[in-house]
Amino acid sequence: MRTAARCVRLMVRRFFQHKVGVQSAALAFYLLFMIFPFLIFISALLGLLDLNVTAILLVLGEFLPREVVDIVQAYLLHVGQEPNVRLMLFGLFFSLWFPMRATSALMQAVRQAYHLGPPRREIVHWLKTLIYTVMLILTIAVTLAFMTVGDRLLSWLMVQFRLPVFWAELWRRLRFPAAGTAGYFALFFLYALSQDGVRPWRELWPGTAAALAAWLGLNWLYAEYVERFAHYSLLYGSIGAVIVLLIWLNMTAMVLILGAEFNGTLLSLRNEREKRGTPQ
């Protein structure tokens, strides 16, 4: 109980000392500029591959506020009406540039949470940022495709190879845990790549799991709040969806940074126990 109280005090102190609120606002700014080029790329890709946009929106609606899904729907449907390779390449270029800025900002926050200074080798750090950004985009694209194409693929396999209905039901139950697992490893590798060297697994996974669980829980709570109480669209009209998006991005940024701060707090507590000579 005393350790838990000490952990909470350290987290509160870190929140103000490391200016997590300011860092979250900066990261949300980069995420805002990241999301629209990425949607252009995804919508153009969906149009070229003739994938099911409605299925993607249904999947996103499971854990995102409705206003955020509405903005995504408007972009996907508008850009997807006239898909072309040039538009997809344009979206791909800016889908790399702005996510790299967001990734770099988040990596700096992670390094501060671990009390690390500037990167020792700037070129290596830049390459890490580029590799992670490409990996993240591919992970999101493959996960969305896997979750939306999965039903049609299973239906085709059931007809062609007479697979039992059990497999289709099993996939429908496991696809969200599979997406959660992909999100966990995406965040885990971001925390890991932010380090100068190799960190032990125990110094990375608690904050990763806590950030993912907090993000899912806050998404659900925020979606319920917007749906039942806030009614931004009634108060602010069409700009209400933008307000919901901005709050959601800031909330997401803060949770990602606090996950790293949680890891840093646990590391500080472990170092304190080692100095006192008490068992871990």
Side-chain angles (χ1 to χ4, degrees):
M1 189 68 181
R2 186 177 301 175
T3 303
R6 173 66 175 161
C7 180
V8 172
R9 288 197 298 270
L10 284 177
M11 284 290 293
V12 173
R13 183 187 304 173
R14 281 169 165 267
F15 183 90
F16 293 103
Q17 285 183 345
H18 294 170
K19 299 180 180 178
V20 174
V22 176
Q23 291 179 332
S24 302
L27 180 56
F29 176 80
Y30 288 125
L31 291 175
L32 178 64
F33 280 92
M34 177 194 80
I35 191 170
F36 296 111
F38 183 70
L39 287 177
I40 291 175
F41 167 71
I42 290 293
S43 57
L45 182 64
L46 292 175
L48 291 173
L49 298 180
D50 193 25
L51 296 180
N52 191 349
V53 176
T54 304
I56 291 180
L57 296 174
L58 289 175
V59 170
L60 295 178
E62 294 289 336
F63 54 90
L64 294 183
R66 180 174 56 84
E67 282 78 1
V68 176
V69 178
D70 290 341
I71 294 177
V72 174
Q73 180 181 13
Y75 263 80
L76 290 181
L77 294 179
H78 175 71
V79 182
Q81 288 176 354
E82 299 179 359
N84 60 77
V85 177
R86 290 183 180 178
L87 187 60
M88 185 181 69
L89 293 178
F90 169 83
L92 178 61
F93 174 78
F94 286 101
S95 293
L96 285 173
W97 172 251
F98 289 112
M100 281 188 64
R101 299 296 299 273
T103 301
S104 179
L106 183 53
M107 282 185 169
Q108 291 178 9
V110 172
R111 292 182 64 84
Q112 186 175 27
Y114 282 89
H115 292 157
L116 300 174
R120 297 174 184 173
R121 293 173 290 182
E122 287 290 342
I123 296 179
V124 175
H125 182 73
W126 184 85
L127 288 175
K128 285 181 179 180
T129 305
L130 176 61
I131 292 172
Y132 179 80
T133 303
V134 174
M135 183 184 72
L136 180 63
I137 292 174
L138 290 176
T139 301
I140 294 174
V142 171
T143 301
L144 287 176
F146 202 48
M147 295 180 70
T148 55
V149 179
D151 287 340
R152 290 189 292 174
L153 180 61
L154 280 173
S155 300
W156 182 81
L157 291 174
M158 289 172 63
V159 172
Q160 297 295 325
F161 300 98
R162 297 182 179 179
L163 291 179
V165 182
F166 165 77
W167 291 107
E169 292 297 327
L170 182 64
W171 168 245
R172 292 188 180 95
R173 292 177 180 273
L174 293 181
R175 61 181 180 177
F176 287 107
T181 302
Y184 170 85
F185 281 107
L187 186 57
F188 179 87
F189 283 121
L190 182 132
Y191 290 167
L193 289 175
S194 301
Q195 315 296 325
D196 290 323
V198 178
R199 285 271 181 179
W201 181 68
R202 66 176 184 173
E203 296 180 4
L204 297 172
W205 78 264
T208 306
L212 182 61
W215 185 76
L216 291 174
L218 286 175
N219 271 337
W220 180 79
L221 289 174
Y222 185 53
E224 289 293 315
Y225 169 74
V226 171
E227 187 70 25
R228 299 178 182 274
F229 304 105
H231 302 298
Y232 287 101
S233 59
L234 296 179
L235 294 174
Y236 303 103
S238 58
I239 200 175
V242 179
I243 294 174
V244 172
L245 175 63
L246 292 175
I247 295 176
W248 176 74
L249 288 176
N250 189 73
M251 179 186 70
T252 298
M254 186 170 295
V255 167
L256 296 178
I257 295 174
L258 286 177
E261 293 290 351
F262 183 64
N263 281 336
T265 300
L266 295 181
L267 184 59
S268 298
L269 292 174
R270 189 177 298 116
N271 291 335
E272 289 179 0
R273 289 195 298 267
E274 290 177 353
K275 289 180 179 179
R276 292 196 305 263
T278 56
Q280 297 187 18

